[in-house]
Amino acid sequence: MAAFVESLLDRFHERTPIRAGSLIVTVFGDAVVPRGGVLSLSSLHEVMRAFRISDTLVRTALSRLVSEGWFERWKVGRNSYYRLTKKGQEAFAQATQRIYADPSPAWHGSFDLLLLDNGQDRGALRAELSEAGYGTLGPDLLIAAAASSKDKEGVLRLAAAPADLPTARRLAERAWPLESIEGRYQRFIDTYAGTLKALEGAPGSAAWMPCWCAFS
């Protein structure tokens, strides 16, 4: 099991740059929130060292996460403590839903289209909708196979049924980088294909293993 974990860490550290912030959010959402939700900086350093993440990189990532509203921080004496904000908890819950939810039903033949108005920060809105699974057909037009976002101010929602399946496929190819997505799924499968075998040889080890979405 130890050798398998080391190989996962080797793959993680092949990335440039390291996604320390994503890993910190994953650790909090999977391991800290169910156990009270608060962790001291010193304890977080200890956890992240097991992932080969330096104290300096942790502090830099935490500073950014606090400024972006993902975490709140306070001090008691010389000790700093952190917990996810409501925004951070909601974002993590949405990610967990996407990862662990039941498979989506068969496509019903109609796309969900969102037309963005001009009265707000469309860049931020596009990024948020992209995280929710929407692809891009143009600067102001996003598409999804099914409605997967709540109604938002400044967005006009439409529905479109392609004339035939080849047309639907061409729309999908325009909206999403399908080859890249396929490659990422294949890398994920290749990376974690040995997980079950490794866990079978290490009883009880699954209890400490966080959601590996931060590594994918």
Side-chain angles (χ1 to χ4, degrees):
M1 182 65 191
F4 179 73
V5 172
E6 289 299 314
S7 70
L8 288 180
L9 289 171
D10 288 340
R11 285 177 178 264
F12 179 56
H13 283 274
E14 290 172 358
R15 289 182 167 188
T16 305
I18 298 298
R19 295 172 57 189
S22 177
L23 180 56
I24 289 171
V25 173
T26 297
V27 168
F28 265 83
D30 276 342
V32 180
V33 170
R35 295 168 176 81
V38 177
L39 197 65
S40 68
L41 179 59
S42 59
S43 295
L44 182 59
H45 279 318
E46 185 176 352
V47 171
M48 298 301 285
R49 287 170 194 149
F51 290 97
R52 307 178 192 165
I53 305 297
S54 71
D55 294 358
T56 300
L57 187 54
V58 170
R59 286 192 293 268
T60 300
L62 279 172
S63 179
R64 185 180 69 252
L65 289 167
V66 170
S67 67
E68 292 176 352
W70 284 77
F71 279 87
E72 59 178 310
R73 171 180 54 202
W74 69 97
K75 298 195 72 171
V76 178
R78 299 179 63 183
N79 297 320
S80 295
Y81 293 86
Y82 292 83
R83 66 183 168 202
L84 285 170
T85 61
K86 182 179 180 181
K87 168 188 172 179
Q89 293 182 45
E90 290 176 349
F92 185 84
Q94 291 173 7
T96 300
Q97 176 68 17
R98 289 198 299 271
I99 294 168
Y100 295 114
D102 293 334
S104 301
W107 184 52
H108 53 65
S110 179
F111 285 110
D112 185 48
L113 299 177
L114 298 181
L115 182 63
L116 308 185
D117 288 342
N118 294 324
Q120 57 180 306
D121 184 353
R122 290 183 295 173
L125 183 56
R126 278 197 301 269
E128 180 181 348
L129 291 169
S130 177
E131 287 291 323
Y134 283 80
T136 302
L137 289 176
D140 304 319
L141 185 62
L142 292 94
I143 184 173
S148 57
S149 73
K150 299 178 181 178
D151 291 335
K152 294 181 177 294
E153 183 179 353
V155 171
L156 176 62
R157 168 162 273 141
L158 308 169
D164 49 40
L165 190 57
T167 301
R169 287 174 174 166
R170 287 197 297 273
L171 280 173
E173 289 170 353
R174 286 184 56 187
W176 292 279
L178 298 183
E179 290 187 5
S180 174
I181 292 172
E182 180 183 15
R184 291 168 64 186
Y185 271 111
Q186 190 59 54
R187 287 196 300 274
F188 184 90
I189 292 170
D190 293 342
T191 299
Y192 301 110
T195 302
L196 180 59
K197 181 178 179 180
L199 289 174
E200 288 174 344
S205 61
W208 62 266
M209 293 184 68
C211 165
W212 290 102
C213 61
F215 289 78
S216 61

